Amino acid sequence: MQMTFYFSDTVVLLFDFWSVHSPTGMVLSVLVILLLSVLYEAVKMGKAVLLRRALLALPRSLSHEALTEPQEEEQSDPAQGRWFWFHVAQTLFHVLQVVLGYMVMLAVMSYNAWIFLGAIAGSTLGYFMVYPLLGRG
């Protein structure tokens, strides 16, 4: 296995069935990695927007006792239920972000320079497209 960056149109990415042996296959593979990088940036920003919404959903007076003691159903605060679902959504976004991040990282570890450039371009493009949406959330 090559351990330095090289330009080639042959590479095996992530799985044995993702074996590239032609320039067309390399272009498509770079495009897939670019899209995975864009999606990674979108999930990262989505997680930040969700965090802001979760913090806004927290009740004004939040104490340790209020979180640890079970409350009766008629006295339960709907804001705490909303906060819980925001937390579940953030957890799912985090798992998706980790999976996408590792997939892109392992693709870059093929040491193919075209794949590396696709990951960098996708991350740059994703950040450029999604960052303005952070202020709107």
Side-chain angles (χ1 to χ4, degrees), residues 58-71 77 79-80 83:
L58 280 175
R60 294 282 179 209
S61 63
L62 188 63
S63 66
H64 180 69
E65 293 82 22
L67 289 175
T68 58
E69 292 177 6
Q71 298 177 354
D77 186 13
Q80 285 183 340
W83 179 83

Side-chain angles (χ1 to χ4, degrees), residues 35-46:
L35 292 175
L36 284 175
S37 296
V38 168
L39 184 60
Y40 174 85
E41 291 296 328
V43 168
K44 185 171 73 170
M45 288 299 170

Side-chain angles (χ1 to χ4, degrees), residues 9-24:
D9 61 353
T10 60
V11 69
V12 176
L13 292 172
L14 301 177
F15 305 102
D16 287 336
F17 62 82
W18 192 352
S19 184
V20 180
H21 298 288
S22 67
T24 305

Side-chain angles (χ1 to χ4, degrees), residues 89-100:
Q90 278 185 298
T91 302
L92 295 175
F93 266 77
H94 178 72
V95 169
L96 183 60
Q97 181 184 0
V98 168
V99 168
L100 289 170

